[in-house]
DNA sequence: CGCTTCAATGACATCGCTAACATTGATGGG
DNA sequence: CCCATCAATGTTAGCGATGTCATTGAAGCG
């Protein structure tokens, strides 16, 4: 069924039906009612593909995320999609993984959909992909971004500063020996670097670090405890790149009877529900993934509506002092 | 840049460029090479919207999921998207929530994209939405489905049987007093009903049940322990609708010094990582969310390729006996 | 009353691609 | 040597909507 069918049924022209659906204020009350009732009666569903081609407005936004299997990204994407859906956009999902392989390929085919905007979690790695994005001439919001790569629009926080702040916080609480258990994705590595620098500023060193490929899991956290205890002096503190790793440590500590924070202090990252629910509750860094997703979405919507918006937005990343440090 | 620009640059007609990209086997080696090099050189990205309109093949699949904030669905969707992406489809995300509000609206606008297939988590609630789906004449795969609602294609398992199997399992292990802590989404309720029936068959009754709105959280699990202990005789067993609830009980039990499974046995659902990582590890029902997502995707791909495929596929749901029962 | 103005509607071309059919020229069999 | 055949490429006409400009008629105004 096409728009012309509805038009015929309502005794108007195709464009009038189009207007009834897209710009009802242009029609007289009577016509509008007649057309809408025909639409309703016939169960007409407009072909958005055709509409997009004609109007050059696809009303689609592409979201490129490493994975949604990780709760942090899932939460962000959920919020992002909710807001955009409200604003009348559809979200096309691109799962890129953590390595840059196929990145350009993925971005290219998705750009072929003529999205009006794009969400990017983390940085674009390949220059080819970067060029493609630039050529697309659409707003790109980057979230969870590294400082290094400047996208068009950015919603996030400085991972390096977070690392440094955690270092300071732990020093202030009196810890003097430090370890890191971290995934080796670019954002985690930036936090680690900041952490290390923060320690250096205080004249302290990192005693041990353990890197592993993303995504991080509880099990990896559990497995990390034993080597950590070996390498780190008693009363040390460990900074984990994810609450999952931290919670894993906590669980294993429970099993082994290691007192937390007495024998080992733990700071996580992400403020996931699991951290809040553990006993003792996890000290962690809270970044509001939901807010970040919402902000990113609103950025795009505003920008597409022609409003001027700030190119950089910060969401706060704050250390939540709880029971494990 | 349009396809004709590339065609001009390569000294061929538009359709030849189209074929170079979509049906290279139809072209001579020389022409193919010439065209592809022009495509490459000019950085041409085909407009898939136009292509979709013309060919009536959108190469898009719509996925409608209650939420991706829940790890189970996120995992399934991840697998689903991965497979489809491999097969050259893009996934458009629809987040429907758990209530049926706006369901028809959401489905309708998404159908306007002319997707070639659709993934549905759970059942369609409104009849309006069901009619719309039927009229769209595209394959619809339903996963995590209730038995009641027969979609076009179905990949899943019987929630009721799972509930019954858990009842039997717990009875067989000698428990005689039973409780349930559950979300009240339709699928969880079906499991609950099966559980109750299973108990009845054995001449046993449910001593207490506590329902709460989805999504389930660890915190709700923790909060559920105290009333549960009040209402349920010692040495009872509780069936939770999610590993998150179960893990919450487990954490709270640790805090209160309630011995698991000595004083309280716990069975979860979902086989999430957290259940495996807890100590004692959680007895649970494992349904492979990844496999379900992959299967659903393959169903669609096969069907769209014109192959005959079974209308119902089962993925196994098996009880994993671990430390909490 | 004639002219402007504006609200309401329509006609037509167009968005960028591909399906369907047409054409071309080389190949090979009788 | 002619003609059927087939591989390789081209021509034309849409796909289903909307942008743009044109048209209509009623209202307002001096």
């Amino acid at each position: 069924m096409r728009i012309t069918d509805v038009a015929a049924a309502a005794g108007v022209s195709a464009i009038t039906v189009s207007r009834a659906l897209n710009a009802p204020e242009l029609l007289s009350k009577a016509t509008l009612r007649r057309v809408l009732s025909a639409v309703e009666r016939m169960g007409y569903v407009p072909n958005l593909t055709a509409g997009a081609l004609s109007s050059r407005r696809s009303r689609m936004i592409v979201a490129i995320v490493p994975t949604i299997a990780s709760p942090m990204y899932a939460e962000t994407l959920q919020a992002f999609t909710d807001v955009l859906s409200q604003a009348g956009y559809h979200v096309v999902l691109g799962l890129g993984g953590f390595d840059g392989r196929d990145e350009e390929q993925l971005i290219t085919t998705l750009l072929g959909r003529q999205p009006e905007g794009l969400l990017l979690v983390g940085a674009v790695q390949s220059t080819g992909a970067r060029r493609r994005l630039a050529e697309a001439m659409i707003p790109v919001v980057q979230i969870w971004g590294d400082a290094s790569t400047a996208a068009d629009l950015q919603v996030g926080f400085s991972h390096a500063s977070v690392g440094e702040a955690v270092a300071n916080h732990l020093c202030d609480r009196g810890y003097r020996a430090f370890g890191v258990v971290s995934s080796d994705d670019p954002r985690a590595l930036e936090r680690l670097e900041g952490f290390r620098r923060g320690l250096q500023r205080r004249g302290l060193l990192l005693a041990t670090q353990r890197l592993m490929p993303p995504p991080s899991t509880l099990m990896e956290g559990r497995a990390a405890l034993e080597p950590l205890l070996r390498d780190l002096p008693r009363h040390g503190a460990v900074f984990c790149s994810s609450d999952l790793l931290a919670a894993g440590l906590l669980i294993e500590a429970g099993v082994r009877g290691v007192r937390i924070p007495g024998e080992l202090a733990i700071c996580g990252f992400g403020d996931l529900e699991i951290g809040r629910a553990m006993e003792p509750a996890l000290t962690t860094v809270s970044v509001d993934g939901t807010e970040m997703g919402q902000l990113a979405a609103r950025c795009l919507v505003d920008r597409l509506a022609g409003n001027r918006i700030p190119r950089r937005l910060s969401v706060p990343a704050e250390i939540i002092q709880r029971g494990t440090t």
Side-chain angles (χ1 to χ4, degrees), chain A:
Chain A
M1 189 189 333
R2 297 197 300 279
I3 201 171
T4 51
D5 301 327
V6 179
V12 296
S13 70
I15 192 75
T16 299
V17 178
S18 172
R19 288 202 263 252
L21 297 169
N22 300 316
E25 71 281 2
L26 292 179
L27 299 187
S28 72
K29 288 229 168 60
T31 315
L32 181 57
R33 204 168 37 236
R34 202 147 40 91
V35 172
L36 290 184
S37 97
V39 165
E40 186 66 27
R41 191 174 61 247
M42 307 175 72
Y44 169 65
V45 180
N47 183 327
L48 299 180
T49 299
L53 182 59
S54 177
S55 69
R56 292 117 185 276
R57 299 216 47 192
S58 66
R59 302 218 140 255
M60 290 169 70
I61 303 282
V62 162
I64 296 178
V65 180
T67 171
I68 53 171
S70 153
M72 294 251 51
Y73 300 142
E75 183 189 337
T76 298
L77 185 61
Q78 170 91 30
F80 182 77
T81 306
D82 283 345
V83 171
L84 283 175
S85 168
Q86 217 58 31
Y89 290 87
H90 289 156
V91 172
V92 183
L93 189 56
L95 298 179
F98 286 93
D99 50 4
R101 290 189 314 106
D102 311 333
E103 183 186 55
E104 182 172 356
Q105 163 75 9
L106 180 70
I107 288 183
T108 302
T109 71
L110 284 170
L111 284 177
R113 294 282 172 201
Q114 318 294 123
E116 294 183 42
L118 196 138
L119 172 77
L120 216 53
V121 171
V124 194
Q125 328 232 345
S126 70
T127 56
R130 239 192 299 267
R131 190 163 39 80
R132 282 270 146 81
L133 285 180
E135 284 167 358
M137 310 261 284
I138 56 174
V140 174
V141 204
Q142 182 180 323
I143 62 178
W144 289 108
D146 330 11
S148 59
T149 56
D152 187 10
L153 265 31
Q154 202 138 9
V155 175
F157 57 91
S158 158
H159 290 264
S161 313
V162 164
E164 212 168 322
V166 169
N168 286 329
H169 181 80
L170 293 177
C171 290
D172 290 347
R173 291 190 71 81
Y175 299 101
R176 286 294 171 272
F178 302 92
V180 158
V181 175
S182 173
S183 124
D184 62 4
D185 79 86
R187 293 167 286 290
L189 289 179
E190 260 188 62
R191 294 194 292 276
L192 167 53
E193 213 33 65
F195 184 66
R196 197 199 309 273
R197 197 165 52 240
L199 293 181
Q200 263 169 12
R201 292 248 167 88
R202 302 276 195 128
L204 295 164
L205 280 177
L206 199 56
T208 171
Q209 76 180 49
R210 182 190 178 84
L211 295 182
M212 53 198 81
S216 302
T217 64
L218 288 166
M219 280 305 194
E220 285 173 319
R222 283 191 68 164
L225 184 70
E226 198 232 313
L228 187 66
L229 290 176
R230 214 174 36 230
D231 299 343
L232 191 65
R234 284 291 125 129
H235 315 300
V238 57
F239 178 34
C240 300
S241 68
S242 155
D243 275 7
L244 291 176
L245 293 174
L249 288 178
L250 209 45
I251 292 172
E252 185 69 17
V255 173
R256 298 185 176 232
V258 175
R259 284 176 302 105
I260 308 289
E263 298 177 51
L264 175 69
I266 304 176
C267 178
F269 177 87
D271 194 16
L272 298 184
E273 207 233 337
I274 191 173
R276 263 171 278 155
M278 295 297 290
E279 194 71 33
L282 189 64
T283 292
T284 189
V285 179
S286 166
V287 296
D288 191 331
T290 294
E291 165 147 20
M292 200 147 48
Q294 288 174 345
L295 265 181
R298 291 215 197 88
C299 263
L300 284 179
V301 170
D302 277 1
R303 173 69 161 263
L304 291 173
N307 303 336
R308 295 204 155 253
I309 50 165
R311 294 199 45 205
R312 305 254 169 279
L313 282 177
S314 284
V315 297
E318 65 182 311
I319 296 175
I320 316 268
Q321 168 61 34
R322 289 197 282 237
T324 57
T325 54

